[in-house]
Amino acid sequence: MLLLISAAFYNDPQFPERFARGEESAFRQVFDSQLNPLCFFAQKLTGNRMEAEDIVSAAFCKLWQRHKDFTSMAGIRSFLYTTVRNQCLDFLKHRKVIEAAHPALPKTLNDTGIEAKMYQSELLQLIYLEIQSLPERSRQILEWSFLEELSTAEISAKMQMTETHVRVEKSRALVQLRTALRKKDLWDSTLLFALLWQAH
């Protein structure tokens, strides 16, 4: 169900060997493709953007220290998500808010709630790549909405526009994004995109 993002190295038979050898370019490919979805995943679990970024950075450091242990991209992704998940739970326990803030938080990586957040994270990455091709104002509004999760009022203040104007611009941007996804035969993903958008 996961693995939405298309990247050349997923089909590169030499990639696992290059990564295990410690080639910096191989690590950079993993970093570039997984950074955004992992940060989104961690932020959804912790509710703290700065802490999420620190947790993800630490996970990449651990991955690099153990690069010789991996023989596939699937193993790399599993390690990253498991490491980030465990660190997020440790953070919540340390703050003594895990039961109050997340009373039904799943305990294992296979639980539905965690998998849903992982799926949303990779879907966000797919959408993010398409957002980059939109006009500047549309791109900015969607980035603030998706990546920074700013409210309409906050975006209005940043852009010095009325909230009504921001809503109109956001609607136009979403139409543009949906059209871009349809042109690339990603129409089915727009249904998931809608669910992710409504979750905000």
Side-chain angles (χ1 to χ4, degrees):
M1 181 176 67
L2 299 173
L3 205 62
L4 290 173
I5 305 167
S6 175
F9 64 90
Y10 278 95
N11 297 318
D12 178 4
Q14 301 302 316
F15 175 78
E17 182 180 344
R18 290 172 49 228
F19 187 87
R21 284 201 307 263
E23 287 190 13
E24 186 175 342
S25 61
F27 180 79
R28 172 58 63 178
Q29 287 176 302
V30 174
F31 181 85
D32 288 344
S33 70
Q34 301 300 306
L35 177 62
N36 285 331
L38 282 169
C39 284
F40 181 77
F41 176 59
Q43 184 175 343
K44 284 297 182 183
L45 293 183
T46 64
N48 185 312
R49 182 181 178 185
M50 292 184 64
E51 187 65 30
E53 291 176 353
D54 288 344
I55 287 172
V56 171
S57 294
F60 276 114
C61 287
K62 291 179 180 179
L63 175 68
W64 185 242
Q65 291 168 356
R66 295 182 51 185
H67 63 84
K68 294 180 181 179
D69 297 340
F70 299 97
T71 59
S72 69
M73 187 59 200
I76 291 171
R77 290 182 59 260
S78 177
F79 174 83
L80 286 170
Y81 274 102
T82 301
T83 301
V84 168
R85 167 200 173 271
N86 290 342
Q87 289 301 309
C88 287
L89 292 180
D90 286 345
F91 167 75
L92 293 173
K93 289 176 182 177
H94 181 68
R95 292 285 298 271
K96 298 182 179 180
V97 296
I98 187 169
E99 291 184 358
H102 299 276
L105 191 67
K107 302 300 185 206
T108 69
L109 189 62
N110 292 326
D111 284 336
T112 303
I114 294 290
E115 285 197 350
K117 288 179 174 60
M118 291 172 62
Y119 191 56
Q120 286 182 345
S121 300
E122 295 206 349
L123 177 60
L124 179 72
Q125 175 72 349
L126 182 151
I127 292 171
Y128 177 77
L129 295 175
E130 292 302 323
I131 286 175
Q132 302 310 300
S133 65
L134 297 180
E136 177 65 20
R137 178 177 290 183
S138 298
R139 180 190 63 78
Q140 187 67 80
I141 288 177
L142 293 189
E143 283 189 356
W144 278 334
S145 296
F146 275 116
L147 302 182
E148 299 188 26
E149 298 190 331
L150 298 184
S151 67
T152 299
E154 290 170 325
I155 295 175
S156 173
K158 278 180 171 289
M159 303 195 78
Q160 297 184 337
M161 296 165 55
T162 66
E163 291 186 32
T164 298
H165 195 177
V166 169
R167 291 190 183 93
V168 170
E169 290 290 336
K170 184 186 293 186
S171 295
R172 290 174 179 170
L174 290 173
V175 169
Q176 291 174 309
L177 180 57
R178 187 169 61 247
T179 299
L181 289 170
R182 185 189 291 116
K183 287 181 179 178
K184 293 191 175 183
D185 294 324
L186 297 173
W187 173 244
D188 288 343
S189 294
T190 62
L191 300 177
L192 299 171
F193 159 61
L195 294 176
L196 179 60
W197 183 257
Q198 291 169 3
H200 287 188

Short mmCIF file of all heavy atoms in Angstrom, two decimals, residues 19-56:
data_model
loop_
_atom_site.label_atom_id
_atom_site.label_comp_id
_atom_site.label_asym_id
_atom_site.label_seq_id
_atom_site.Cartn_x
_atom_site.Cartn_y
_atom_site.Cartn_z
N PHE A 19 24.72 1.59 -1.47
CA PHE A 19 24.39 2.11 -0.15
C PHE A 19 25.21 1.39 0.92
O PHE A 19 25.76 2.02 1.83
CB PHE A 19 22.90 1.94 0.13
CG PHE A 19 22.46 2.61 1.40
CD1 PHE A 19 22.09 3.95 1.41
CD2 PHE A 19 22.44 1.91 2.60
CE1 PHE A 19 21.70 4.58 2.58
CE2 PHE A 19 22.04 2.52 3.78
CZ PHE A 19 21.69 3.86 3.78
N ALA A 20 25.29 0.06 0.82
CA ALA A 20 26.04 -0.73 1.80
C ALA A 20 27.52 -0.37 1.80
O ALA A 20 28.19 -0.43 2.85
CB ALA A 20 25.86 -2.22 1.54
N ARG A 21 28.04 0.03 0.63
CA ARG A 21 29.44 0.44 0.55
C ARG A 21 29.67 1.80 1.19
O ARG A 21 30.81 2.20 1.42
CB ARG A 21 29.89 0.50 -0.92
CG ARG A 21 30.17 -0.84 -1.55
CD ARG A 21 31.08 -0.68 -2.76
NE ARG A 21 30.57 0.29 -3.71
CZ ARG A 21 29.86 -0.02 -4.79
NH1 ARG A 21 29.56 -1.28 -5.04
NH2 ARG A 21 29.44 0.92 -5.62
N GLY A 22 28.59 2.52 1.42
CA GLY A 22 28.72 3.83 2.04
C GLY A 22 28.90 4.96 1.04
O GLY A 22 29.47 6.01 1.38
N GLU A 23 28.37 4.76 -0.18
CA GLU A 23 28.47 5.84 -1.17
C GLU A 23 27.57 7.00 -0.76
O GLU A 23 26.38 6.83 -0.51
CB GLU A 23 28.05 5.33 -2.56
CG GLU A 23 29.06 4.41 -3.20
CD GLU A 23 28.72 4.12 -4.65
OE1 GLU A 23 27.84 4.83 -5.21
OE2 GLU A 23 29.31 3.18 -5.21
N GLU A 24 28.16 8.18 -0.70
CA GLU A 24 27.41 9.36 -0.26
C GLU A 24 26.25 9.66 -1.18
O GLU A 24 25.18 10.09 -0.73
CB GLU A 24 28.35 10.57 -0.19
CG GLU A 24 27.69 11.81 0.38
CD GLU A 24 28.67 12.96 0.55
OE1 GLU A 24 29.88 12.71 0.56
OE2 GLU A 24 28.21 14.11 0.68
N SER A 25 26.41 9.43 -2.48
CA SER A 25 25.33 9.72 -3.43
C SER A 25 24.13 8.82 -3.17
O SER A 25 22.98 9.24 -3.34
CB SER A 25 25.82 9.54 -4.87
OG SER A 25 26.25 8.20 -5.09
N ALA A 26 24.36 7.58 -2.75
CA ALA A 26 23.26 6.67 -2.46
C ALA A 26 22.51 7.13 -1.22
O ALA A 26 21.27 7.11 -1.18
CB ALA A 26 23.80 5.25 -2.25
N PHE A 27 23.27 7.56 -0.22
CA PHE A 27 22.62 8.07 0.99
C PHE A 27 21.82 9.33 0.67
O PHE A 27 20.71 9.51 1.18
CB PHE A 27 23.66 8.38 2.06
CG PHE A 27 23.07 8.92 3.33
CD1 PHE A 27 22.49 8.07 4.26
CD2 PHE A 27 23.08 10.28 3.59
CE1 PHE A 27 21.92 8.57 5.43
CE2 PHE A 27 22.51 10.79 4.76
CZ PHE A 27 21.93 9.93 5.68
N ARG A 28 22.36 10.19 -0.17
CA ARG A 28 21.66 11.42 -0.54
C ARG A 28 20.34 11.11 -1.24
O ARG A 28 19.34 11.80 -1.03
CB ARG A 28 22.56 12.27 -1.44
CG ARG A 28 21.89 13.50 -2.06
CD ARG A 28 21.34 14.44 -1.02
NE ARG A 28 22.37 15.00 -0.17
CZ ARG A 28 22.12 15.89 0.79
NH1 ARG A 28 20.88 16.30 1.01
NH2 ARG A 28 23.10 16.35 1.54
N GLN A 29 20.31 10.08 -2.06
CA GLN A 29 19.06 9.70 -2.74
C GLN A 29 18.00 9.29 -1.72
O GLN A 29 16.84 9.66 -1.84
CB GLN A 29 19.33 8.55 -3.71
CG GLN A 29 20.08 8.96 -4.97
CD GLN A 29 20.39 7.77 -5.85
OE1 GLN A 29 21.05 6.83 -5.43
NE2 GLN A 29 19.91 7.80 -7.08
N VAL A 30 18.41 8.53 -0.72
CA VAL A 30 17.46 8.13 0.33
C VAL A 30 17.01 9.35 1.10
O VAL A 30 15.81 9.53 1.37
CB VAL A 30 18.11 7.11 1.29
CG1 VAL A 30 17.18 6.80 2.46
CG2 VAL A 30 18.47 5.84 0.54
N PHE A 31 17.94 10.19 1.47
CA PHE A 31 17.62 11.39 2.25
C PHE A 31 16.63 12.28 1.51
O PHE A 31 15.63 12.72 2.08
CB PHE A 31 18.91 12.16 2.55
CG PHE A 31 18.70 13.40 3.38
CD1 PHE A 31 18.66 13.33 4.76
CD2 PHE A 31 18.56 14.65 2.77
CE1 PHE A 31 18.47 14.47 5.54
CE2 PHE A 31 18.36 15.79 3.53
CZ PHE A 31 18.31 15.70 4.91
N ASP A 32 16.90 12.55 0.24
CA ASP A 32 16.05 13.45 -0.53
C ASP A 32 14.64 12.90 -0.71
O ASP A 32 13.66 13.66 -0.71
CB ASP A 32 16.67 13.71 -1.92
CG ASP A 32 17.91 14.59 -1.84
OD1 ASP A 32 18.11 15.25 -0.79
OD2 ASP A 32 18.67 14.62 -2.82
N SER A 33 14.51 11.58 -0.87
CA SER A 33 13.19 11.00 -1.12
C SER A 33 12.38 10.78 0.16
O SER A 33 11.15 10.78 0.13
CB SER A 33 13.32 9.68 -1.87
OG SER A 33 13.87 8.67 -1.04
N GLN A 34 13.06 10.61 1.29
CA GLN A 34 12.36 10.26 2.52
C GLN A 34 12.25 11.38 3.54
O GLN A 34 11.47 11.26 4.50
CB GLN A 34 13.08 9.07 3.19
CG GLN A 34 13.15 7.83 2.33
CD GLN A 34 11.77 7.31 1.95
OE1 GLN A 34 10.92 7.06 2.80
NE2 GLN A 34 11.55 7.14 0.65
N LEU A 35 12.99 12.46 3.37
CA LEU A 35 13.00 13.53 4.38
C LEU A 35 11.61 14.11 4.63
O LEU A 35 11.13 14.16 5.78
CB LEU A 35 13.96 14.64 3.96
CG LEU A 35 14.01 15.86 4.92
CD1 LEU A 35 14.49 15.44 6.30
CD2 LEU A 35 14.90 16.95 4.34
N ASN A 36 10.94 14.58 3.59
CA ASN A 36 9.64 15.22 3.77
C ASN A 36 8.58 14.29 4.36
O ASN A 36 7.90 14.66 5.32
CB ASN A 36 9.14 15.82 2.45
CG ASN A 36 9.89 17.10 2.10
OD1 ASN A 36 10.35 17.81 2.98
ND2 ASN A 36 10.01 17.38 0.82
N PRO A 37 8.41 13.06 3.81
CA PRO A 37 7.40 12.19 4.40
C PRO A 37 7.71 11.81 5.84
O PRO A 37 6.80 11.71 6.67
CB PRO A 37 7.39 10.96 3.48
CG PRO A 37 8.63 11.04 2.68
CD PRO A 37 8.96 12.48 2.56
N LEU A 38 8.98 11.62 6.18
CA LEU A 38 9.33 11.27 7.56
C LEU A 38 9.06 12.43 8.52
O LEU A 38 8.57 12.22 9.64
CB LEU A 38 10.80 10.85 7.64
CG LEU A 38 11.12 9.44 7.15
CD1 LEU A 38 12.63 9.25 7.03
CD2 LEU A 38 10.53 8.38 8.07
N CYS A 39 9.37 13.64 8.09
CA CYS A 39 9.10 14.81 8.93
C CYS A 39 7.60 14.98 9.15
O CYS A 39 7.16 15.30 10.26
CB CYS A 39 9.70 16.07 8.31
SG CYS A 39 11.50 16.21 8.49
N PHE A 40 6.84 14.79 8.10
CA PHE A 40 5.38 14.89 8.22
C PHE A 40 4.86 13.81 9.18
O PHE A 40 4.02 14.08 10.05
CB PHE A 40 4.74 14.72 6.84
CG PHE A 40 3.25 14.83 6.83
CD1 PHE A 40 2.63 16.07 6.91
CD2 PHE A 40 2.46 13.69 6.73
CE1 PHE A 40 1.25 16.17 6.90
CE2 PHE A 40 1.08 13.78 6.72
CZ PHE A 40 0.46 15.03 6.81
N PHE A 41 5.35 12.60 9.03
CA PHE A 41 4.98 11.48 9.88
C PHE A 41 5.29 11.78 11.34
O PHE A 41 4.45 11.62 12.23
CB PHE A 41 5.75 10.25 9.41
CG PHE A 41 5.56 9.01 10.24
CD1 PHE A 41 4.31 8.46 10.43
CD2 PHE A 41 6.66 8.39 10.81
CE1 PHE A 41 4.14 7.30 11.18
CE2 PHE A 41 6.50 7.23 11.56
CZ PHE A 41 5.25 6.69 11.75
N ALA A 42 6.51 12.26 11.60
CA ALA A 42 6.92 12.55 12.98
C ALA A 42 6.12 13.71 13.57
O ALA A 42 5.75 13.69 14.75
CB ALA A 42 8.42 12.87 13.01
N GLN A 43 5.84 14.70 12.74
CA GLN A 43 5.06 15.84 13.25
C GLN A 43 3.64 15.43 13.59
O GLN A 43 3.05 15.92 14.56
CB GLN A 43 5.06 16.97 12.22
CG GLN A 43 4.36 18.24 12.73
CD GLN A 43 4.48 19.40 11.76
OE1 GLN A 43 5.32 19.39 10.86
NE2 GLN A 43 3.64 20.40 11.92
N LYS A 44 3.07 14.53 12.79
CA LYS A 44 1.72 14.05 13.07
C LYS A 44 1.67 13.30 14.39
O LYS A 44 0.67 13.35 15.12
CB LYS A 44 1.21 13.16 11.94
CG LYS A 44 0.79 13.91 10.69
CD LYS A 44 -0.38 14.82 10.98
CE LYS A 44 -0.86 15.55 9.74
NZ LYS A 44 -1.97 16.49 10.05
N LEU A 45 2.73 12.58 14.73
CA LEU A 45 2.74 11.82 15.97
C LEU A 45 3.06 12.68 17.19
O LEU A 45 2.48 12.50 18.25
CB LEU A 45 3.76 10.68 15.88
CG LEU A 45 3.44 9.55 14.89
CD1 LEU A 45 4.50 8.46 14.97
CD2 LEU A 45 2.07 8.96 15.16
N THR A 46 3.98 13.63 17.04
CA THR A 46 4.42 14.42 18.19
C THR A 46 3.65 15.72 18.35
O THR A 46 3.57 16.26 19.46
CB THR A 46 5.91 14.76 18.08
OG1 THR A 46 6.13 15.60 16.93
CG2 THR A 46 6.76 13.50 17.95
N GLY A 47 3.14 16.25 17.24
CA GLY A 47 2.51 17.57 17.30
C GLY A 47 3.50 18.69 17.48
O GLY A 47 3.13 19.82 17.79
N ASN A 48 4.79 18.41 17.23
CA ASN A 48 5.85 19.39 17.45
C ASN A 48 6.78 19.37 16.26
O ASN A 48 7.53 18.39 16.06
CB ASN A 48 6.60 19.05 18.74
CG ASN A 48 7.64 20.10 19.11
OD1 ASN A 48 8.43 20.52 18.29
ND2 ASN A 48 7.64 20.49 20.36
N ARG A 49 6.74 20.42 15.46
CA ARG A 49 7.51 20.42 14.21
C ARG A 49 9.01 20.37 14.44
O ARG A 49 9.73 19.59 13.81
CB ARG A 49 7.16 21.68 13.41
CG ARG A 49 7.88 21.73 12.06
CD ARG A 49 7.53 22.98 11.30
NE ARG A 49 8.25 23.04 10.03
CZ ARG A 49 8.19 24.06 9.21
NH1 ARG A 49 7.44 25.11 9.51
NH2 ARG A 49 8.87 24.04 8.08
N MET A 50 9.52 21.19 15.38
CA MET A 50 10.96 21.22 15.62
C MET A 50 11.45 19.88 16.16
O MET A 50 12.51 19.38 15.76
CB MET A 50 11.31 22.36 16.59
CG MET A 50 11.08 23.75 16.00
SD MET A 50 11.61 25.06 17.12
CE MET A 50 13.38 24.75 17.19
N GLU A 51 10.70 19.30 17.07
CA GLU A 51 11.09 18.00 17.62
C GLU A 51 11.05 16.93 16.54
O GLU A 51 11.91 16.04 16.49
CB GLU A 51 10.15 17.62 18.77
CG GLU A 51 10.58 16.38 19.52
CD GLU A 51 11.89 16.52 20.25
OE1 GLU A 51 12.21 17.66 20.67
OE2 GLU A 51 12.61 15.51 20.40
N ALA A 52 10.05 17.01 15.66
CA ALA A 52 9.94 16.06 14.56
C ALA A 52 11.17 16.11 13.66
O ALA A 52 11.72 15.07 13.27
CB ALA A 52 8.68 16.35 13.74
N GLU A 53 11.63 17.31 13.34
CA GLU A 53 12.81 17.46 12.49
C GLU A 53 14.05 16.89 13.17
O GLU A 53 14.90 16.26 12.52
CB GLU A 53 13.01 18.94 12.14
CG GLU A 53 11.92 19.48 11.21
CD GLU A 53 12.07 20.98 10.95
OE1 GLU A 53 12.94 21.61 11.61
OE2 GLU A 53 11.33 21.51 10.10
N ASP A 54 14.17 17.11 14.48
CA ASP A 54 15.31 16.57 15.23
C ASP A 54 15.28 15.04 15.24
O ASP A 54 16.32 14.39 15.09
CB ASP A 54 15.31 17.10 16.66
CG ASP A 54 15.68 18.57 16.75
OD1 ASP A 54 16.23 19.10 15.77
OD2 ASP A 54 15.42 19.19 17.80
N ILE A 55 14.11 14.49 15.43
CA ILE A 55 13.95 13.03 15.47
C ILE A 55 14.33 12.42 14.12
O ILE A 55 15.04 11.41 14.06
CB ILE A 55 12.50 12.66 15.85
CG1 ILE A 55 12.28 12.93 17.35
CG2 ILE A 55 12.21 11.20 15.52
CD1 ILE A 55 10.84 12.78 17.79
N VAL A 56 13.87 13.03 13.04
CA VAL A 56 14.18 12.52 11.71
C VAL A 56 15.67 12.63 11.42
O VAL A 56 16.28 11.71 10.86
CB VAL A 56 13.35 13.26 10.64
CG1 VAL A 56 13.83 12.88 9.24
CG2 VAL A 56 11.87 12.94 10.80
#
